[in-house]
Amino acid sequence: VLTKWHAGEEADWPPEPQFEESAMPQLRFGVGQKVLCRVGPKEWHSGEIIQTWYREVTWPNGAWAPYKVKLDDGRCIFAP
């Protein structure tokens, strides 16, 4: 992070924990696959997987969502 800042580049703080996809469980869906997501008690929307093993910097270390999905209506959500 400090090297990027010194070079005038963008960098997130705190830095994201080291990620080793090989250490994560195998997922059912891959990037680019169309999925149907439950977004309410009786509400479902279609979308596309845009990222696997998604996390936000404010989440505790080790917290990951298996999928980040872009819904067809433009919203992005994360999904278990």
Side-chain angles (χ1 to χ4, degrees):
V1 170
L2 296 178
T3 303
K4 286 185 176 185
W5 284 348
H6 182 71
E9 299 173 15
E10 295 273 331
D12 291 327
W13 185 261
E16 192 168 307
Q18 292 296 324
F19 174 73
E20 293 184 34
E21 191 165 348
S22 62
M24 304 300 262
Q26 176 93 19
L27 295 176
R28 181 177 174 192
F29 304 108
V31 173
Q33 280 190 271
K34 297 294 269 179
V35 291
L36 195 59
C37 300
R38 184 175 179 189
V39 296
K42 295 182 180 183
E43 189 177 356
W44 295 79
H45 288 278
S46 58
E48 182 178 326
I49 305 289
I50 59 171
Q51 183 180 342
T52 56
W53 297 117
Y54 170 75
R55 77 177 312 278
E56 295 189 359
V57 296
T58 58
W59 292 356
N61 286 343
W64 301 87
Y67 304 104
K68 182 175 183 180
V69 179
K70 183 170 185 177
L71 300 176
D72 291 345
D73 66 10
R75 292 180 292 166
C76 286
I77 64 170
F78 61 89

